[in-house]
Amino acid sequence: MALKRGLSSVRVLSNRSSGSRLPIAILVFFSVLAPLVFFVGRGLYISDQNSIQSDFSKQNVDWRERLALQSIKNLFTKEVVDFVTTSTADLGPLNLDSFRKGNLSASWKVVGVETSVQDNAISKSNQKATDLKQETSQDKEGKFLDDDHSHDTPAKILRRQLRDNRREKWATELVRQDEKVTVKLENAAIERSKAVDSAVLGKYNLWRRENENVNSDSTVRLMRDQIIMAKVYVSIAKSKNKLDLQKELQIRLKEIQQALGESTADSGLPHSASEKIKEMGKVLSKAREQLFDCKLVTGKLRAMLQTSEEQVRRLKKQSMFLSQLAAKTIPYSIHCLSLRLTIQYYLLPQEKRKFPRSENLENPNLYHYALFSDNVLAASVVVNSTTMNAKDPSKHVFHLVTNKLNFGAMNMWFLLNPPGKATIHVENVDEFKWLNSSYSPVLRQLETASMKEYYFKADHPTVSGSSNMKYRNPKYLSMLNHLRFYLPQVYPNLDKILFLDDDIVVQKDLTGLWSVDLHGKVNGAVETCGQSFHRFDKYLNFSNRHISQNFDPNACGWAYGMNMFDLKVWKKKDITGIYHKWQNMNEDRALWKLGTLPPGLITFYGLTHPLEKSWHVLGLGYNPSVDKKEIEHAAVIHYNGNMKPWLDLAMTKYRPYWTKYVKYDHHYLRSCNLSE
C-alpha cells in the first residue's frame, strides 16, 4: 500500500511538473540566455564597428601619404628626383636642398630656356594637385558610399558629404600653408646665403644663381665663370675624344673671351655679350650632360689653380725685376736735363765756371755737408731743402761729388741756381788719383772677371745667388757709393761732416747735429732695430766663423742717409783701414752680399752713437704706412727703397714732400717735360 501511495504521489508530482514546465523555461531564458545573447551581439557589433573604423583610418593614412608625396613632387622636378635616386647608391644620402628648384651655377643654365621649363613644371604641379583632389574625392565617394552605406538615410549621406567637404578644405589649407612656409624658407635661405657670401666668400659665389647677384659687374663675373668651366670641359672633351664638342666649346670660348676683353664692369661690355652668354650657356649645358664627372672636374680645376699660382709667382718675380730695373735707371726727362746742362756748361768761358766763396770750403767753424750723387734733380732738392730750412744759410757748405758724365751738368745747374748765401763746390770722383785699385779693395774687386760675370750674367743658372736681384744694383759698380768710407781722404782739413744721401728731403734746420755729443764715437746715426729684420743677422752671414766670432747677430742696425761723422776720431781709429780689412776678406762675397750698409755695420761696430729718431725718418720709398705725424715732425725724411720720388712708380702721398723743392718753372725742366 505504501508502495502504491508512493507511486501515486510521484505521479501526481509528475503531472504537476509537466504543467508548470513552460513558465519555468521562459523564466530561465529571460534570466540567463537573454543577457548572454545581448552581450554577444554587442561584441559582434563593436568588432564590426572597429573594423570599419580601421578601414577608414587606413584609407585616411593612404590619402595623407599621397598628399605628402604630391607635395614632394611639387617641390622637386622629375629630373632631380631621378638624379637623387640614381646617385644615392654611389654617393650616399644627398642634400636635396642643394638641388631645389634648379639651384645650380649660372654656368649650367641655358639662358632663355629656364622660364619655359619652370612654367611647365608649375603647370604640371598644379595639374597634379587638381588630379589629387579629384582622386581623393572619388575615393571618398566610392569607397565610403559603396561600403556598408548603401542603405543609409539621406540625412547620414548629407552629413558624410559635409565631413568630406571639410576634409577637402582642410587638405587644401594645409597645402597652401605648406607652400607659404616653403616660400618663407627659400627667402630666408637666400638672405642667409647672401650674408655668408659677403662675409666669407665675397660678393660673388661661383655656384650661386646669377639672378640673385645684384652686383653691377655680375655679367662680367658670369662670363669669367663660363670661361673657366669651358676650359675645363675642353680639356675633358679632348681626353674623351669628343672632338665635335671640343671644337664647339673652343669656338664659344673664343667668342666670349673677345666679348669680355679687358672689361671689369658690365658697362664696358658690348651689346652682343648677352647673346654670347646664351650660346655659351647652351654649350656648357650640353657639355655637362655628356662629360660631367665630379672627380674629373675637380682634378681639372685643381690643375688650373696650380697653374695659375705658378703664373702668379712667375709674374711676381718679373714684376720685382722690372721694379728693380725702373728704380735703378735714370728717367728720360732727367737724362735730357743732364745733357742740356752739360752742353751749356762747356760753352761757358773758363772764368765763369767758378763758384763764389771758395774760402769757406775748409773752414772748420762752418757746417759742412757731403753729398755724392749722379742725379742732378735729386741733388738740387737736397741742397734747396737744406738751405730753405736753415736759420743762417751763409754758414752752410755743400761738398758735392759726382762722376765725369754729370760733372758739367751739376756745375751748370748750381751756377744757374745758386743756393742763396750758402757755399757749394762740385768735384769729379774720376779726378781723385789716389783712389785706385791698388789702394781700394772694392775698386780692385769691381775690375775682376768674377764680379763682371756676377753683374752682367746674373741670369745664368750657374751663377751663385742669381735669384736675388736686390744685390745687383748698378750703383754698387760706382765708386760714388763707396766714397763714404774715404771721407777723411776727400776732406782732410775738416773735423766733422754731415753725410746726406741724394734721396732725402731736409725739413728743419740741421745745425743742432753739430752740437750733439757722440761720446767718443765716430758715427752718429738713427737706429733701425725697431723690428727684428733690421738687426745684424739680416745683413751678415753668421754661418761664417769670422762673422759669428766678432759680431752679435741681435745687434741693432742703423741707417745710412743722414750720418754725422767725427773725422778726428775716424783718423784715430783708422776706420778706413778696418773697412779695407773686411773688404779684402769678402772678396768671394762669403761675409755679405754687395752693398755699403753691411760693411758699414761691420766697420762702425761699437763706434755708432744713436741719434733721436725724429732726426731721420725712413721708409718713404717702400713703406706705405709711415705715420704722417712722424713725417711732419722729422728733420730729414728718406725715400729709401725702389719708389724714388722722381720716378713714376713713387707713392703719390709722399711725393709732395719732395716736389715742393723742385723748380718746375725752370726753362730747362720745361724743355725736358719735367712736371709734377
Side-chain angles (χ1 to χ4, degrees):
M1 289 295 292
L3 179 60
K4 289 181 179 180
R5 283 194 297 269
L7 290 173
S8 62
S9 63
V10 169
R11 191 178 294 113
V12 172
L13 291 172
S14 174
N15 292 332
R16 292 179 179 177
S17 65
S18 63
S20 63
R21 183 178 301 166
L22 182 59
I24 293 172
I26 293 172
L27 180 62
V28 170
F29 174 79
F30 282 104
S31 63
V32 177
L33 295 179
L36 181 62
V37 171
F38 174 79
F39 285 113
V40 170
R42 182 171 179 81
L44 293 175
Y45 176 78
I46 292 173
S47 65
D48 185 60
Q49 291 293 325
N50 290 336
S51 66
I52 292 173
Q53 291 179 0
S54 65
D55 292 338
F56 177 81
S57 64
K58 289 181 179 179
Q59 293 173 358
N60 193 19
V61 171
D62 294 339
W63 172 76
R64 291 185 179 181
E65 289 178 352
R66 288 197 302 274
L67 182 61
L69 180 60
Q70 186 60 33
S71 299
I72 292 295
K73 290 181 179 180
N74 291 337
L75 292 176
F76 306 108
T77 61
K78 182 177 182 300
E79 290 79 7
V80 174
V81 176
D82 293 341
F83 181 84
V84 174
T85 304
T86 56
S87 302
T88 304
D90 297 331
L91 302 177
L94 295 177
N95 184 2
L96 300 182
D97 192 46
S98 63
F99 295 96
R100 292 185 65 177
K101 295 190 176 180
N103 187 15
L104 299 174
S105 170
S107 296
W108 306 115
K109 293 186 178 182
V110 180
V111 179
V113 183
E114 293 88 351
T115 305
S116 61
V117 173
Q118 292 176 356
D119 292 340
N120 293 335
I122 293 172
S123 62
K124 288 181 180 179
S125 62
N126 293 335
Q127 183 64 34
K128 290 179 180 179
T130 305
D131 296 340
L132 176 62
K133 292 179 181 179
Q134 294 177 356
E135 292 175 2
T136 303
S137 61
Q138 291 175 0
D139 290 344
K140 292 176 183 178
E141 293 176 0
K143 292 183 180 179
F144 291 105
L145 292 178
D146 294 340
D147 296 344
D148 298 331
H149 299 290
S150 59
H151 303 289
D152 287 346
T153 61
K156 290 184 178 180
I157 293 174
L158 182 59
R159 286 195 298 271
R160 189 181 302 110
Q161 289 178 351
L162 292 175
R163 286 196 301 270
D164 293 341
N165 291 335
R166 284 196 299 270
R167 289 193 185 98
E168 186 175 354
K169 290 181 180 179
W170 177 70
T172 304
E173 182 65 21
L174 285 179
V175 171
R176 188 177 63 82
Q177 292 179 359
D178 182 68
E179 290 177 352
K180 288 183 178 180
V181 172
T182 302
V183 172
K184 289 181 180 180
L185 290 175
E186 288 178 351
N187 293 334
I190 291 172
E191 294 299 325
R192 187 167 60 252
S193 68
K194 289 180 180 178
V196 171
D197 287 342
S198 62
V200 180
L201 302 176
K203 295 182 178 179
Y204 178 76
N205 187 348
L206 183 65
W207 301 109
R208 195 170 131 199
R209 287 188 297 180
E210 195 61 31
N211 56 8
E212 293 174 8
N213 196 330
V214 296
N215 289 340
S216 60
D217 59 344
S218 58
T219 306
V220 171
R221 293 179 182 273
L222 172 59
M223 296 175 73
R224 291 174 180 171
D225 178 15
Q226 289 182 333
I227 289 173
I228 292 172
M229 298 313 302
K231 289 180 179 179
V232 172
Y233 282 131
V234 165
S235 178
I236 297 176
K238 183 178 180 180
S239 63
K240 292 190 176 184
N241 202 26
K242 300 280 188 180
L243 301 182
D244 294 338
L245 183 57
Q246 177 189 354
K247 185 177 180 180
E248 188 176 2
L249 284 166
Q250 289 175 340
I251 293 173
R252 300 304 178 195
L253 179 61
K254 185 177 180 180
E255 290 178 352
I256 203 165
Q257 284 177 335
Q258 291 176 349
L260 180 61
E262 300 295 330
S263 301
T264 57
D266 294 352
S267 58
L269 294 174
H271 297 292
S272 61
S274 59
E275 294 297 329
K276 305 298 182 184
I277 293 173
K278 291 180 181 179
E279 296 299 326
M280 176 61 84
K282 294 177 182 178
V283 177
L284 286 176
S285 298
K286 181 180 177 181
R288 180 177 180 273
E289 292 176 359
Q290 298 183 19
L291 303 174
F292 184 77
D293 185 334
C294 186
K295 292 183 179 178
L296 192 57
V297 171
T298 302
K300 293 296 181 182
L301 289 173
R302 184 181 293 112
M304 291 175 63
L305 179 61
Q306 292 175 350
T307 303
S308 299
E309 289 179 347
E310 182 62 30
Q311 290 177 352
V312 169
R313 284 193 292 268
R314 185 167 59 253
L315 291 174
K316 186 177 180 180
K317 187 175 181 180
Q318 292 177 356
S319 175
M320 184 184 300
F321 170 77
L322 293 175
S323 64
Q324 292 282 347
L325 183 63
K328 310 313 174 188
T329 54
I330 301 297
Y332 168 79
S333 55
I334 297 179
H335 184 63
C336 166
L337 176 64
S338 180
L339 288 177
R340 288 178 179 272
L341 290 171
T342 301
I343 294 171
Q344 188 66 26
Y345 175 76
Y346 287 107
L347 292 176
L348 287 177
Q350 191 69 31
E351 61 273 10
K352 293 185 178 181
R353 298 180 184 179
K354 296 181 180 181
F355 291 100
R357 295 180 290 276
S358 59
E359 65 277 5
N360 294 334
L361 295 178
E362 296 182 357
N363 186 351
N365 297 321
L366 300 179
Y367 306 114
H368 295 268
Y369 299 87
L371 176 61
F372 308 146
S373 175
D374 58 356
N375 188 325
V376 177
L377 192 63
S380 69
V381 170
V382 175
V383 175
N384 289 344
S385 62
T386 305
T387 55
M388 289 176 65
N389 292 285
K391 294 179 180 179
D392 187 0
S394 63
K395 294 184 178 180
H396 295 261
V397 181
F398 294 92
H399 301 269
L400 201 154
V401 181
T402 187
N403 54 25
K404 61 182 178 181
L405 184 63
N406 294 280
F407 177 74
M410 287 286 187
N411 278 279
M412 191 64 200
W413 176 263
F414 290 106
L415 287 171
L416 294 174
N417 305 279
K421 297 181 180 181
T423 302
I424 192 166
H425 180 60
V426 180
E427 295 182 271
N428 182 3
V429 67
D430 296 307
E431 294 180 356
F432 295 164
K433 301 303 180 182
W434 53 269
L435 190 60
N436 50 54
S437 57
S438 61
Y439 174 68
S440 174
V442 67
L443 192 59
R444 182 178 67 252
Q445 293 169 8
L446 291 174
E447 295 175 354
T448 61
S450 61
M451 189 67 69
K452 292 178 181 178
E453 182 182 11
Y454 184 81
Y455 273 107
F456 300 108
K457 297 181 180 180
D459 57 342
H460 197 278
T462 60
V463 178
S464 176
S466 61
S467 61
N468 197 338
M469 296 174 291
K470 178 180 178 180
Y471 302 109
R472 290 177 180 78
N473 192 325
K475 72 180 182 180
Y476 299 146
L477 292 171
S478 173
M479 277 307 298
L480 286 176
N481 195 48
H482 298 272
L483 194 61
R484 64 191 69 189
F485 293 102
Y486 300 98
L487 288 174
Q489 287 78 10
V490 180
Y491 311 109
N493 299 320
L494 298 180
D495 296 334
K496 277 188 176 183
I497 195 167
L498 183 64
F499 172 80
L500 298 177
D501 265 341
D502 63 355
D503 55 353
I504 63 102
V505 173
V506 178
Q507 300 186 128
K508 293 183 180 181
D509 181 62
L510 299 181
T511 55
L513 287 170
W514 274 265
S515 60
V516 173
D517 186 2
L518 298 181
H519 300 281
K521 305 296 179 64
V522 182
N523 176 26
V526 171
E527 293 183 335
T528 58
C529 56
Q531 300 182 17
S532 59
F533 59 85
H534 283 147
R535 297 185 182 273
F536 270 45
D537 58 351
K538 172 65 178 178
Y539 306 100
L540 304 177
N541 180 19
F542 276 86
S543 62
N544 187 288
R545 62 182 183 87
H546 297 292
I547 298 296
S548 59
Q549 292 177 1
N550 291 280
F551 304 101
D552 180 9
N554 293 319
C556 188
W558 43 269
Y560 264 130
M562 189 206 71
N563 305 81
M564 175 59 69
F565 291 111
D566 189 330
L567 300 183
K568 287 184 176 180
V569 182
W570 183 307
K571 298 173 185 177
K572 187 183 299 184
K573 300 286 186 181
D574 191 17
I575 298 300
T576 303
I578 297 174
Y579 165 71
H580 283 174
K581 170 191 171 183
W582 287 103
Q583 193 67 51
N584 285 323
M585 295 173 63
N586 192 49
E587 187 167 359
D588 56 354
R589 297 182 300 280
L591 305 184
W592 68 86
K593 299 297 183 181
L594 294 180
T596 54
L597 181 57
L601 296 176
I602 290 178
T603 302
F604 297 101
Y605 183 68
L607 299 173
T608 300
H609 174 74
L611 300 176
E612 291 290 334
K613 292 186 180 298
S614 60
W615 281 110
H616 187 192
V617 171
L618 300 97
L620 277 71
Y622 71 92
N623 184 6
S625 58
V626 180
D627 191 356
K628 185 177 180 180
K629 292 182 179 179
E630 290 186 5
I631 296 175
E632 293 175 350
H633 290 89
V636 171
I637 55 175
H638 194 174
Y639 292 84
N640 57 315
N642 291 330
M643 301 179 183
K644 303 299 184 185
W646 55 83
L647 300 174
D648 291 336
L649 51 82
M651 284 184 274
T652 55
K653 66 178 181 178
Y654 299 146
R655 202 163 183 266
Y657 298 107
W658 185 83
T659 56
K660 69 179 181 179
Y661 295 105
V662 179
K663 298 180 179 180
Y664 285 106
D665 58 344
H666 198 282
H667 67 278
Y668 278 108
L669 271 64
R670 291 200 308 269
S671 63
C672 290
N673 296 321
L674 274 164
S675 60
E676 297 186 50

